[in-house]
Amino acid sequence: MTSADARRRCAIALGLFALACAGDAYGWGARGHRIVAAMAEARLDAPVEAEVKRLLAVSGAHELADVAAWADEVREEQPQSALAKATTKLHYINFADSTCRYDAARECRDGQCVVAAIDRYAAILGDRTRPDAERAEALRFLVHFVADAHQPLHAGYRSDRGGNLFQVQLDGKGTNLHSVWDFDVLATRKLGWRRYAAALQPPRRESARGTPRDWTEASCLLTRDGGVYPSSRKLDTRYLGAMQRIAEQRLQRAAIELAALLNLRLKTPPMPSSSGVQDDLVQDRGIAKTSPIRNMGGPHAEGDRNNDGRFDRPSGATGRCENQT
């Protein structure tokens, strides 16, 4: 192992520890991202799981849940780094209006949205000619972004920064809607993320459907029609219960889609045909092939494999996702 490799693995290991101490979170919060990762890993084909484990080892990680929230940790711990700046806008998509219809030129200019990010990182992950370090980073981003695409407040059309500017009251205390979705909606079960994932695991017969575009459009429609935005600014247990059911369905769907995407991109490459041309996996399931983004380096992964007790809202947590417009 070179000194550079040792430094990289040390930095990632520190990130794994730091996540347990982080106060703020984004998207689903680290808990929700771990739930998706754990459910997805349980659905991987055996050869794909082996390749995932091999790439995770490059990051000093052991399971997908270890790196599920890494993309948020990069933004929180290293906000001025080149990697954070290059990927900030890749966590979400802002739809133009309540029709929730995706137009790449309008909603994803220059590939700066979660839809394009998933396509790009999936292509990098599946390209076995690329260095393992680059593919391992792509895996870390992909695990995170697929979950983000299924979070309704990461795919809305309102001008409230994904609910961060939508002020509400919960238990007599002021907060914002994004924070409620980060922490409170999934806290109602009072399960640790590992037991939560086991309880939510969808049947094996459930199959993937659609593309990243479809996932975000469905999320957007939930912000319009699914009651995500409450009629009253004072939230009660009825709201949390209703949103818990929606959130759990989205977590399940994210896990199904993530597992299918990994099974597709990491399956054993087909043997060359008589013409010497291999099947192009990029065309499977209609996933568009786009130019890979430049590997910015600076790995800083994290995960908490032991946190399986009650979930307590971190002190001072805000649920920020303030990069959205």
Side-chain angles (χ1 to χ4, degrees):
M1 179 185 297
T2 66
S3 59
D5 290 335
R7 288 193 299 271
R8 179 181 298 112
R9 297 190 71 162
C10 180
I12 293 171
L14 288 172
L16 288 167
F17 172 79
L19 179 64
C21 305
D24 294 338
Y26 304 80
W28 290 108
R31 186 167 184 250
H33 280 287
R34 290 186 186 124
I35 291 170
V36 170
M39 290 192 294
E41 186 165 346
R43 304 175 71 86
L44 297 180
D45 298 335
V48 171
E49 183 180 10
E51 178 67 358
V52 164
K53 296 289 189 184
R54 191 184 71 81
L55 291 174
L56 286 172
V58 175
S59 305
H62 301 280
E63 57 185 329
L64 286 179
D66 289 346
V67 301
W70 170 81
D72 281 341
E73 183 72 5
V74 168
R75 293 193 299 166
E76 183 172 311
E77 297 296 317
Q78 309 169 39
Q80 300 305 314
S81 69
L83 184 61
K85 291 180 178 179
T87 59
T88 291
K89 293 183 178 180
L90 305 185
H91 291 253
Y92 62 91
I93 182 172
N94 292 320
F95 282 93
D97 54 49
S98 60
T99 62
C100 298
R101 292 179 180 174
Y102 176 77
D103 183 303
R106 182 181 60 195
E107 274 88 20
C108 201
R109 187 175 302 174
D110 299 323
Q112 294 294 293
C113 77
V114 68
V115 173
I118 291 171
D119 287 343
R120 291 199 299 270
Y121 281 116
I124 293 172
L125 178 64
D127 186 352
R128 294 172 186 263
T129 67
R130 291 178 177 270
D132 280 350
E134 188 176 359
R135 295 179 65 217
E137 181 184 83
L139 175 62
R140 298 196 297 271
F141 275 122
L142 198 59
V143 169
H144 188 89
F145 289 153
V146 171
D148 275 350
H150 287 80
Q151 213 276 41
L153 291 174
H154 274 243
Y157 59 89
R158 293 171 171 84
S159 58
D160 60 4
R161 295 183 181 272
N164 279 282
L165 301 181
F166 192 92
Q167 297 300 302
V168 295
Q169 279 194 346
L170 181 64
D171 295 331
K173 299 178 181 179
T175 183
N176 65 73
L177 191 62
H178 200 106
S179 181
V180 170
W181 271 77
D182 266 357
F183 303 108
D184 301 286
V185 168
L186 293 180
T188 53
R189 271 187 184 255
K190 295 180 172 56
L191 290 176
W193 66 265
R194 200 179 293 278
R195 286 185 293 163
Y196 211 144
L200 275 188
Q201 183 64 255
R204 295 288 297 188
R205 66 177 180 273
E206 291 290 333
S207 59
R209 54 175 182 259
T211 65
R213 166 183 176 164
D214 300 316
W215 311 338
T216 57
E217 287 182 344
S219 290
C220 180
L221 289 172
L222 282 172
T223 69
R224 187 190 74 185
D225 305 327
V228 172
Y229 280 83
S231 56
S232 171
R233 298 292 180 122
K234 292 184 178 181
L235 305 184
D236 54 21
T237 56
R238 288 179 298 177
Y239 174 83
L240 292 180
M243 293 305 102
Q244 175 193 316
R245 290 188 289 274
I246 291 176
E248 289 178 348
Q249 291 170 359
R250 297 304 286 163
L251 292 174
Q252 289 176 318
R253 180 48 49 188
I256 293 168
E257 299 295 350
L258 175 58
L261 188 56
L262 296 179
N263 282 333
L264 168 66
R265 294 295 179 162
L266 296 177
K267 68 183 180 182
T268 303
M271 294 296 292
S273 65
S274 59
S275 62
V277 178
Q278 291 190 345
D279 294 335
D280 186 0
L281 301 183
V282 174
Q283 300 304 318
D284 288 0
R285 292 179 61 227
I287 297 177
K289 182 175 181 180
T290 56
S291 299
I293 67 171
R294 182 167 65 91
N295 178 24
M296 303 301 295
H300 191 274
E302 76 293 287
D304 178 10
R305 298 191 302 279
N306 301 314
N307 177 19
D308 203 26
R310 288 184 59 184
F311 176 74
D312 295 319
R313 183 191 188 92
S315 175
T318 62
R320 296 175 306 179
C321 191
E322 296 177 357
N323 48 330
Q324 293 182 238
T325 58

